[in-house]
Amino acid sequence: GARTYRIYRGDMHRHTDISIDGPGDGSLMDLHRYGLHAAAFDFIMVTDHNMGGDKEYPWWRTQKANDLYTVPLAFLSLYGYERSVPYPNGHRNILWTERGHRTLPVPQRAIRKQMAEDTGKLYAYLRRTDGICTLHTSATDQGTDWAEHDDALEPVVELAQGFHTSYEAPGAPRTVSDKTDQVHGPYKPDGYVSRALAKGYRLGFQSSSDHVSTHISYACILAEEFSRKGLVEALKKRHSYAATDNIVLDVRMGTNIMGDEVRTGKPALDVIVVGTGLLDRVEVLRDGEVMHTHQPAKESAEGRFHWTDPSPKKGEKASYYYVRVRQKDGQMAWASPIWVHGGQR
């Protein structure tokens, strides 16, 4: 569509020793040296819990580090923090393009009215300050039941996490269940990302690390401009994908890319995967169901194919299509969905 995109790789969920549970994560300097050198990311975001208890000094110190470690056109340290509110409101990472906005204090658990109104309060604050957020650990008691959602303010979700697992759908590979370790507290099936998609919410995918994990969480953003504003604008369009390794994933429907909405009577996908290991399979899912499986004719780390839906759904409700990559070594990637409305453009 006469646009040029690049894939910018990073991590939107990392802690430091400012967090009460972050001593193992190291200092602000350690975090940025990891992002700059060890991982060779394009961007990183410090997301300490409530920025040290909604205190002004840790927030000022973090934003100062965001500026000190940013290298224009090479590496971006994003302004953000984790707002940690228990289920069903959920832990969310807040992201701004500009410095100076204060953290929004969390509600008191014992006051039910505060808890019930908190998600709406957060959304109102993000509208006033021009911020966005991304939920994580959704199918745990740090997650949500998806009772509330605003596509514009919460355009992407942390589908997979290096510190724990995936929150994609019941029975999906690497997905949390009642049998997986309780890293983030009890399992909450209402929080699966598939449940949000089934409700009609528009959510793109990203993967980030949380605590201590390294080199197994890649939030990949397809952006036209490499700046804080450029990355956030891309996230607002859900132009992103999640990966557990440095996997290249290109999914298009005509001139549309992952995250877009399309009107067509003949949905067809063009998929390119460049893996870090031998591919096991590349799956196309429609409304959560595997519709097509591509397996390379011979052992390869790369896959290319075109697929046309032979029997697209009809009706007013849009169908969502996304691609899931599985390597033989267990590493994975998930493209943000493309939503398809039936009928010609």
Side-chain angles (χ1 to χ4, degrees):
R3 296 179 181 273
T4 299
Y5 299 93
R6 293 182 183 273
I7 300 172
Y8 297 104
R9 307 162 311 130
D11 194 328
M12 298 175 63
H13 187 183
R14 289 202 70 87
H15 291 273
T16 74
D17 51 17
I18 290 173
S19 290
I20 193 170
D21 57 354
D25 295 298
S27 67
L28 283 165
M29 182 177 73
D30 294 331
L31 181 149
H32 285 98
R33 291 297 296 272
Y34 165 71
L36 267 164
H37 303 298
F41 283 146
D42 300 303
F43 65 90
I44 205 159
M45 188 162 79
V46 185
T47 56
D48 283 313
H49 294 288
N50 306 313
M51 200 43 66
D54 297 304
K55 301 293 194 302
E56 187 168 7
Y57 176 67
W59 190 211
W60 172 82
R61 186 157 62 98
T62 298
Q63 292 177 104
K64 182 171 68 170
N66 295 147
D67 289 344
L68 284 170
Y69 286 99
T70 288
V71 182
L73 303 180
F75 181 79
L76 298 175
S77 179
L78 306 179
Y79 303 126
Y81 79 101
E82 178 177 332
R83 190 165 183 272
S84 305
V85 184
Y87 181 92
N89 299 89
H91 287 216
R92 288 175 165 91
N93 293 333
I94 313 302
L95 174 61
W96 288 287
T97 60
E98 58 185 12
R99 178 173 171 171
H101 300 296
R102 291 297 302 274
T103 62
L104 179 67
V106 298
Q108 296 186 41
R109 297 190 187 200
I111 303 178
R112 292 185 179 180
K113 188 172 186 295
Q114 283 191 13
M115 289 292 294
E117 297 174 350
D118 186 68
T119 300
K121 182 179 178 181
L122 170 62
Y123 285 162
Y125 187 64
L126 292 175
R127 289 188 193 96
R128 291 198 303 272
T129 59
D130 196 25
I132 61 172
C133 65
T134 173
L135 187 94
H136 59 84
T137 57
S138 59
T140 76
D141 74 346
Q142 294 183 2
T144 183
D145 59 3
W146 297 111
E148 294 181 73
H149 178 72
D150 188 307
D151 291 340
L153 299 172
E154 197 163 5
V156 296
V157 63
E158 188 179 285
L159 182 80
Q161 184 187 94
F163 186 49
H164 192 199
T165 188
S166 164
Y167 306 91
E168 180 186 0
R174 296 181 63 153
T175 296
V176 68
S177 71
D178 56 352
K179 296 179 176 61
T180 52
D181 293 338
Q182 289 192 5
V183 174
H184 293 288
Y187 157 69
K188 295 285 188 179
D190 284 348
Y192 282 124
V193 174
S194 60
R195 186 171 185 269
L197 295 172
K199 294 181 76 169
Y201 298 160
R202 303 304 195 251
L203 278 168
F205 301 155
Q206 59 98 357
S207 175
S208 292
S209 59
D210 199 357
H211 292 286
V212 301
S213 60
T214 55
H215 301 82
I216 53 173
S217 303
Y218 290 79
C220 300
I221 302 175
L222 282 70
E224 298 176 80
E225 175 186 305
F226 186 47
S227 65
R228 292 185 178 103
K229 181 180 178 182
L231 294 186
V232 170
E233 287 303 310
L235 288 172
K236 287 179 179 179
K237 298 173 183 176
R238 304 174 297 272
H239 290 171
S240 64
Y241 67 91
T244 64
D245 204 346
N246 188 19
I247 297 168
V248 174
L249 181 55
D250 184 344
V251 178
R252 310 184 193 191
M253 187 172 287
T255 58
N256 296 95
I257 64 173
M258 57 189 89
D260 286 343
E261 294 204 39
V262 180
R263 184 167 293 279
T264 179
K266 297 180 179 179
L269 292 173
D270 290 290
V271 180
I272 300 174
V273 182
V274 182
T276 57
L278 296 176
L279 295 179
D280 177 53
R281 67 190 70 179
V282 183
E283 299 166 314
V284 177
L285 291 89
R286 183 188 70 193
D287 296 338
E289 181 183 356
V290 176
M291 302 299 295
H292 175 74
T293 300
H294 170 81
Q295 291 181 296
K298 59 181 180 179
E299 289 196 338
S300 175
E302 298 188 15
R304 294 170 179 257
F305 65 92
H306 175 88
W307 176 77
T308 300
D309 190 343
S311 55
K313 290 183 177 180
K314 297 180 181 180
E316 293 298 319
K317 185 178 179 181
S319 289
Y320 63 90
Y321 295 75
Y322 70 92
V323 170
R324 182 169 65 202
V325 178
R326 301 171 68 176
Q327 294 186 171
K328 290 188 175 182
D329 61 4
Q331 303 300 339
M332 297 186 65
W334 301 260
S336 288
I338 296 175
W339 285 265
V340 176
H341 301 264
Q344 296 299 319
R345 187 185 299 276

